[in-house]
Amino acid sequence: LPNFTKKCVEWLIKLTPSLQNFNIYEYGAEVAASWWIKHAKEYTGITTSEQVGKLLDCYYKWDQDSYVNHIMGETTQYDIIIINGKWRDECIIPALQRIKKGGYIIINNYHQNKTEFRPAYWQLTTPLLEKQPVVIFHDENSDARTAVFQVVN
């Protein structure tokens, strides 16, 4: 399962029957990619780890520009884009260009105070997504947060 908050994972499990029709892109592909591959119509992942890229048959880009903008070389419009891994704030601009209207952008550790991803980190993302519906999942007794934005315009 994806390494999101428990409540976000519960939401994803409820969504699982629909995932078979979904195209999914993940920034920061990790071991959970196998879960997405099993349930999604199409999964594309990118990582900064050559080892993970080879293990999961995902794209590997080590520099910021190639990693962040890799999605722009894809022709697919995605139902879900996951932003995890490096350069999270910078990923939002190309992600918004490749998400389907009504699609979900899932951001792990969004506005999470005890990490580098506290609110001040999100200089690009917060203003670009402020008018989109959002559910922020957080677990009790933990600062962990996973935000799910539905892109409606």
Side-chain angles (χ1 to χ4, degrees), residues 26-138:
E26 182 175 25
Y27 285 105
E30 53 186 23
V31 176
S34 60
W35 188 85
W36 292 110
I37 291 165
K38 179 179 176 183
H39 295 290
K41 175 182 175 185
E42 177 187 317
Y43 171 85
T44 304
I46 188 165
T47 180
T48 56
S49 166
E50 185 174 9
Q51 181 180 5
V52 171
K54 287 178 180 176
L55 177 70
L56 300 175
D57 194 27
C58 293
Y59 292 98
Y60 157 70
K61 303 289 181 185
W62 60 270
D63 66 288
Q64 181 177 342
D65 186 58
S66 296
Y67 177 89
V68 169
N69 292 304
H70 176 266
I71 196 171
M72 297 308 294
E74 300 288 314
T75 57
T76 303
Q77 289 294 111
Y78 293 94
D79 301 284
I80 295 177
I81 296 176
I82 302 149
I83 299 178
N84 205 2
K86 291 194 167 216
W87 306 298
R88 296 179 193 195
D89 195 42
E90 292 81 355
C91 292
I92 194 60
I93 293 172
L96 285 169
Q97 293 178 50
R98 287 291 180 256
I99 193 75
K100 283 183 181 174
K101 186 175 182 180
Y104 299 102
I105 294 180
I106 301 174
I107 305 176
N108 206 18
N109 310 112
Y110 186 72
H111 285 218
Q112 191 168 316
N113 287 320
K114 294 182 182 177
T115 69
E116 66 184 283
F117 306 113
R118 58 194 166 278
Y121 172 85
W122 304 97
Q123 299 289 315
L124 299 169
T125 304
T126 298
L128 287 171
L129 293 179
E130 68 185 354
K131 294 183 180 176
Q132 306 303 321
V134 62
V135 175
I136 298 179
F137 295 98
H138 54 88

